Amino acid sequence: MVITGPNGSGKTTLLRILAGLDAPDGGEITFAPAVRVGFLAQTPMFDDPSTGVVDAYREGFIGHEGDFKFALLRYGLLGLSDVENAVGQLSAGQQRKLEIARLIAQRPNVLLLDEPTNYVSLDVLEAFEAAVAAFPGPVVAVSHDRRFIQDFNGEVRVLEDGKLTLVAESQRHKEPTP
């Protein structure tokens, strides 16, 4: 499902609540024990810009540094010179690629993607969109990217005034009215 809507309508907040990063004002969120949520934030989220790229990638995982470096390079998102840097030395686009690689490594079975096409270069965008389309589990994405919304193979809903409304298929391919 893609969620779209006006800025400030609560789309990011909704995803952050589903990801367990923010608490809901009321009620509770419960997932089945087998659910592994993968969350891609709207902007790159790295706590310490001096952390090495490989260390940021492997945070929470156990293993040898060389194995993680090899895995990171295998995705083809970053080059050898990139993985030798600190996260803060990477461009926003490179940081986004690092987050996508980390998302892949987490092997989630549910994806929560907040503006996933932000900071992604065209060479990565098509492969990323194909990977999202082929993902076997549920995907909830927040996006304003008209192309991403039109190409998304699932429901599109608008969040406005606290309500999610299904967008009819015939309306998905129209440009929004001013």
Side-chain angles (χ1 to χ4, degrees):
M1 167 179 26
V2 171
I3 300 171
T4 190
N7 288 338
S9 62
K11 301 176 303 292
T12 292
T13 300
L14 176 60
L15 277 191
R16 288 183 57 84
I17 290 170
L18 291 174
L21 299 172
D22 292 340
D25 291 339
E28 59 184 62
I29 305 290
T30 306
F31 290 106
V35 170
R36 292 182 319 279
V37 174
F39 177 67
L40 186 65
Q42 188 173 124
T43 56
M45 292 180 18
F46 295 102
D47 295 331
D48 182 358
S50 67
T51 301
V53 168
V54 175
D55 289 334
Y57 170 71
R58 72 184 208 168
E59 184 179 328
F61 295 115
I62 298 171
H64 298 287
E65 182 175 347
D67 294 336
F68 288 107
K69 186 182 286 187
F70 175 76
L72 190 53
L73 292 170
R74 184 181 63 223
Y75 298 129
L77 296 170
L78 297 170
L80 184 57
S81 61
D82 300 324
V83 301
E84 300 295 335
N85 288 328
V87 171
Q89 293 175 292
L90 300 177
S91 68
Q94 290 169 317
Q95 288 182 16
R96 182 57 126 197
K97 290 176 184 181
L98 176 59
E99 288 183 319
I100 291 169
R102 184 157 169 71
L103 190 65
I104 293 166
Q106 292 170 349
R107 298 180 186 215
N109 53 19
V110 174
L111 291 178
L112 303 176
L113 310 172
D114 194 358
E115 296 289 353
T117 59
N118 282 1
Y119 310 107
V120 178
S121 57
L122 191 55
D123 64 318
V124 174
L125 183 59
E126 289 179 351
F128 178 72
E129 288 177 339
V132 170
F135 186 73
V139 176
V140 179
V142 165
S143 185
H144 290 283
D145 182 327
R146 180 65 41 200
R147 180 176 171 260
F148 180 80
I149 294 167
Q150 288 176 352
D151 293 345
F152 190 80
N153 190 24
E155 290 183 351
V156 176
R157 294 186 177 259
V158 175
L159 180 60
E160 200 166 21
D161 299 324
K163 296 179 183 174
L164 278 173
T165 306
L166 183 64
V167 175
E169 183 67 31
S170 61
Q171 297 299 310
R172 284 175 66 167
H173 301 287
K174 292 185 177 181
E175 288 297 318
T177 54

